[in-house]
Every structure is written in structure tokens, then in C-alpha cells.
Amino acid sequence: MRILGIETSCDETGIAIYDEHQGLLSHQLYSQVKLHADYGGVVPELASRDHVKKTLPLIRAAMQEANLTPADIDGVAYTAGPGLVGALLVGATIGRSLAYAWNVPAVAVHHMEGHLLAPMLEDNPPPFPFIALLVSGGHTMLVKVDGIGEYEIMGESIDDAAGEAFDKTAKLMGLDYPGGPLLSKLAQNGTPGRFKFPRPMTDRPGLDFSFSGLKTFTANTIASNDGSEQTRADIALAFEQAVVDTLAIKCRRALQQTGYKRLVIAGGVSANRRLREELAAMMSKLGGEVFYPRTEFCTDNGAMIAFAGMQRLRQGEYQDLAVQAKPRWPIDKLAPIEK
């Protein structure tokens, strides 16, 4: 089976072709970062319009890269949610239309299931069961995973997602969009221990997250200190370490509650170097393993959608001619894949 994957949930247009025997055949990605930089964040209408311009040319480029024709494609997978409704509708409409024209099935893919399964694209995929930390600009959640589609949400953010908190804090510090990676880079020059930030919701039971208060604490710290480059670096380090520690504490709790020994980290923030180092050290002490997708598949991409779509199509799932987008779509409502 050979699947074309289309990802347009936010500000990246991702196209990929995945073959169940040969693996990833092609991968195309276009980022709208420059388009939205002047606005300091994603403008939904601009994102949708740019997906309209870029999706078909990227599909043609992916087909050419893999040296394939439409006759070689067995199915089309597209992101149906969650995400920006206009952006989702672009990918869903194009994906469903191509499937109809090529006379192949189309399947709607859950964006976060794509992230969750992204480590399966690696040579050393994680076996089930495991705990997944899905951490990105739009989501932060801990999921108990017993198989594909067998998901239990153990905890999630009650306000800002971790990636969103990174970007908003970076904006407070005068960094360009997207600010998360720039804040992490600035933190590399910080002085450890100069500032001590709280670890939100770690002083009480439970696995939910909250990062809006940490953002406010950071804003007050910025306002009450000099604006020197060293101070900014020290504040960036204190903020990053607080987020990383909070995520690690909650992961440890989830592992202890379930007794699982495997941890999967996926989503844009999973590329953070400090987070990877801390979780690797934690899992080593616990006698467990941690798995990540390669860096290029941490952010939104078509490869994860093609792979997730293949799992669904194998089971006989497909969509009719109606085009639907689901801006809100709980991951624990997905159907399990028969083993």
C-alpha cells in the first residue's frame, strides 16, 4: 500500500508519500514562518490562502521526487483536525478531490495521532504500550497508549500549551516569531540559578498542566530587572528549565501510575535539547526508554499523516464524498486498530 499524506492544520504545508514496504518515498514541506513573522503569530486567513497556493505544487513535487504517477497511489490521507478550520478545509478538500479523481479511498487523520505515531517512522520504533507526551504550540497532553487508537488522556493543559507559552514568553522578551527556538538559543548563555521560577501544578496530585501563570511570572521578572543581554539570557534559562522540569515531573508521575517503562515524546517542543536531555536522564534512572521522532518530523509534516492514514486505511476506514474539518477532535474518541 502506498499513501499520499497531506498536512495543512496550521502554518506548514506538508506532503509525503509512504510505502508500507519501502518506507518514506518522498517528503515535501513548506513553512509560512516568514509570512506570519510581521504579525507575531499565525493569521488564520493568510494561512488558508497560502495552503491553497502551495499544496498542489508540493504534491506534484512529491510525486516527481518519488518518480510516481497517480496510478501508483493506493490512498490519500489528509489532516481533518484539530487545527485552524480554514487551513484544515484546504487540505481536506484537495485530498478528498484527488482521491475521487484517482479512484482511491481517502481517510481523515487526527493531527495529534499523526504526532503520536511519528516515532514509528524511525528504525527503532517504540513497541506498545507506552506513555506519550504530546507537546506542541497547540497541545500539551499525556496519553496512555496501549495500541493504535487505544488512547487514554491522563492529563492536559488547562490553558496555554507549552509551545504557546514558549512563543508568548519570547514575544515578551522582544524575540522574533516563532520565538520558542530563539528563547532556547538565548537560554544557552544563561546563568543557572540566578532566577528561580515556579513549577506550575507540581505541588498537587494530578497530571494536568498550566503554563499561563508561568508566563505572567516571567513578565513580572522582566519588568523588575534590567534589560541587559545577560539578564535576558538568565530569565530565558529560568523559564525554559521551569517548563522542562514541569513536563518531566508529570511524565514521571504518569509512568509510575501505569508501571510503563517506555516514554514517547512528540510534537514541536519535543525537539527542545534541554527537554530531551532531562527526559533521557530521567528514563535512565527509571530503567526505561525514551523515543522521539527525528527533528524534521517533530513539527507538522506530511510523513506522519501518511503513516497514520495507512494504519486507518488498512483497517478499512475511509471517508465518503463529504468534506469535513474538525477544529476540535478529542484523540481518545478515535477507534482502536484491530491487532
Side-chain angles (χ1 to χ4, degrees):
M1 184 177 282
R2 194 173 290 134
I3 305 299
L4 172 71
I6 301 172
E7 157 61 27
T8 63
S9 66
C10 190
D11 62 338
E12 269 119 8
T13 311
I15 307 296
I17 300 172
Y18 188 87
D19 183 281
E20 63 178 325
H21 300 298
Q22 299 173 272
L24 190 63
L25 301 181
S26 63
H27 173 232
Q28 298 286 325
L29 184 67
Y30 176 80
S31 174
Q32 300 176 4
V33 165
K34 291 183 180 179
L35 176 66
H36 301 287
D38 291 341
Y39 304 94
V42 177
V43 181
E45 178 63 22
L46 295 181
S48 303
R49 292 181 183 183
D50 211 50
H51 286 309
V52 171
K53 295 177 183 177
K54 299 296 191 304
T55 304
L56 284 175
L58 286 175
I59 290 173
R60 284 193 285 267
M63 297 287 281
Q64 184 175 7
E65 181 186 4
N67 194 27
L68 299 175
T69 68
D72 299 312
I73 301 298
D74 299 305
V76 177
Y78 58 86
T79 303
L84 303 176
V85 64
L88 291 168
L89 282 170
V90 174
T93 302
I94 292 174
R96 190 65 198 82
S97 300
L98 285 178
Y100 179 76
W102 296 348
N103 194 30
V104 297
V107 63
V109 173
H110 193 290
H111 178 73
M112 297 311 293
E113 181 171 58
H115 276 304
L116 189 152
L117 297 179
M120 304 290 182
L121 293 164
E122 305 304 319
D123 294 334
N124 180 34
F128 300 109
F130 55 77
I131 296 298
L133 172 66
L134 303 180
V135 57
S136 65
H139 300 84
T140 299
M141 64 176 71
L142 279 165
V143 184
K144 178 174 172 280
V145 181
D146 291 325
I148 298 177
E150 298 180 57
Y151 308 136
E152 177 188 339
I153 298 176
M154 302 184 70
E156 57 190 332
S157 180
I158 62 174
D159 42 54
D160 291 353
E164 183 181 6
F166 263 102
D167 287 340
K168 287 182 176 179
T169 300
K171 190 173 183 178
L172 289 173
M173 302 184 73
L175 299 174
D176 292 336
Y177 173 83
L182 295 178
L183 186 149
S184 295
K185 184 177 180 179
L186 180 62
Q188 293 177 14
N189 299 318
T191 304
R194 179 181 173 188
F195 295 103
K196 179 66 174 178
F197 283 17
R199 275 57 175 163
M201 296 183 71
T202 58
D203 58 348
R204 67 192 76 174
L207 295 171
D208 285 336
F209 303 90
S210 173
F211 294 108
S212 63
L214 181 60
K215 179 189 64 181
T216 302
F217 188 95
T218 307
N220 292 336
T221 303
I222 293 171
S224 59
N225 284 274
D226 67 82
S228 69
E229 187 67 13
Q230 186 58 55
T231 295
R232 293 171 72 247
D234 295 344
I235 292 173
L237 174 61
F239 171 82
E240 182 180 54
Q241 191 62 65
V243 173
V244 167
D245 285 351
T246 300
L247 294 173
I249 290 168
K250 299 288 186 169
C251 285
R252 186 185 301 111
R253 285 184 185 175
L255 291 162
Q256 290 171 341
Q257 286 183 23
T258 59
Y260 291 176
K261 293 294 185 181
R262 286 182 288 270
L263 179 66
V264 163
I265 317 295
V269 181
S270 69
N272 181 278
R273 179 183 60 83
R274 196 176 303 277
L275 177 62
R276 291 194 173 209
E277 290 175 353
E278 183 148 337
L279 290 177
M282 181 190 78
M283 293 306 292
S284 178
K285 290 179 181 178
L286 294 175
E289 296 178 275
V290 60
F291 299 84
Y292 307 92
R294 70 193 78 167
T295 304
E296 63 186 308
F297 294 154
C298 289
T299 54
D300 297 347
N301 64 87
M304 68 182 191
I305 301 305
F307 182 82
M310 175 171 290
Q311 313 311 311
R312 296 285 165 186
L313 284 169
R314 274 177 178 165
Q315 183 165 276
E317 291 186 30
Y318 62 90
Q319 266 55 55
D320 58 23
L321 289 176
V323 175
Q324 292 184 323
K326 303 177 182 180
R328 297 184 182 277
W329 188 6
I331 193 171
D332 56 352
K333 301 303 182 184
L334 295 177
I337 297 291
E338 295 180 7
K339 297 178 181 177

